[in-house]
Amino acid sequence: MTAPAPFGPLQFQLVLLRRMADHQPDLVEDARRGLGASLAEMREANRRWQAMVRAPRGRGALRRYRSALGEPESSVRRVVGDLECDALLWRLPLWPDLRFEVMAGPGGAVWNEWLVRAPGAPAPGLRTVRDLRPWSCTVDEVARAFAPVRPMEGSAPTSWALALTDPADRLPYVAEFTWGLLQRVLPGRV
């Protein structure tokens, strides 16, 4: 029996894709094939990640990300309210214009983890709900473009939703995100 391959950036991208498959199975299938991974490899990567997350004496979340992704491409100090935190950014080949961001507080506690636009990468022009295409934008970009928005609880720990109003038709919508990346927009209540 051969030892499993080390858990690295490829496997981590498969974990992100696994959760996104709930909303965008066709995009996920294309991305998985582009990575050269089988459906069984995606399931195995997710199984291994979940085992690491749930291990009773496992690594802390920040150490888990460093172990899977290596050293971050960059790290910046940010102030959120009264607290200082570190935003660590990793490049993922599947999304070259995005970075995986982990917000770590004092002692390395992870406060948030999601995809964000890479520094210097052009953001999409978001003027109406018609501009909101799956995988085209991040939570932060939609929140700024459609302010004011109302954050809503997502359907899973890695999901977020924003209630917003389309400036074009003044109708309410809900934008749903997985790992910070837009998955779909539904008619809704603001």
Side-chain angles (χ1 to χ4, degrees):
M1 181 172 189
T2 62
F7 196 97
L10 170 63
Q11 290 76 19
F12 183 71
Q13 290 172 104
L14 293 172
V15 169
L16 300 184
L17 288 173
R18 173 58 200 96
R19 181 57 69 189
M20 291 179 191
D22 295 342
H23 297 298
Q24 293 297 331
D26 293 339
L27 288 175
V28 167
E29 182 68 13
D30 291 345
R32 181 184 58 74
R33 284 187 181 140
L35 291 172
S38 69
L39 187 56
E41 288 170 313
M42 186 167 78
R43 286 187 187 125
E44 177 61 12
N46 191 63
R47 185 198 66 74
R48 288 176 64 194
W49 182 257
Q50 293 305 319
M52 287 187 277
V53 167
R54 293 185 174 95
R57 289 187 297 268
R59 303 174 184 160
L62 186 55
R63 288 185 57 210
R64 191 171 44 251
Y65 286 117
R66 285 181 186 273
S67 173
L69 300 172
E71 283 304 306
E73 175 182 81
S74 64
S75 176
V76 294
R77 187 67 119 177
R78 290 198 190 142
V79 176
V80 179
D82 294 340
L83 299 172
E84 284 191 24
C85 61
D86 292 311
L88 295 89
L89 299 170
W90 283 271
R91 178 184 306 268
L92 297 175
L94 190 55
W95 293 286
D97 288 344
L98 301 176
R99 296 296 178 267
F100 189 75
E101 178 185 76
V102 172
M103 297 287 285
V110 172
W111 293 345
N112 193 34
E113 57 251 289
W114 60 7
L115 292 162
V116 298
R117 186 71 46 198
L126 304 176
R127 289 173 284 291
T128 71
V129 167
R130 287 181 165 202
D131 298 324
L132 299 177
R133 293 179 313 284
W135 291 20
S136 68
C137 50
T138 65
V139 171
D140 189 49
E141 291 165 341
V142 173
R144 280 195 310 266
F146 292 89
V149 299
R150 182 172 49 87
M152 301 171 66
E153 191 170 320
S155 58
T158 59
S159 299
W160 294 265
L162 295 176
L164 57 93
T165 301
D166 186 346
D169 62 18
R170 305 303 302 160
L171 293 175
Y173 293 89
V174 174
E176 295 183 339
F177 303 82
T178 301
W179 291 106
L181 192 59
L182 180 69
Q183 299 299 308
R184 64 183 181 176
V185 179
L186 304 168
R189 288 178 286 164
V190 176

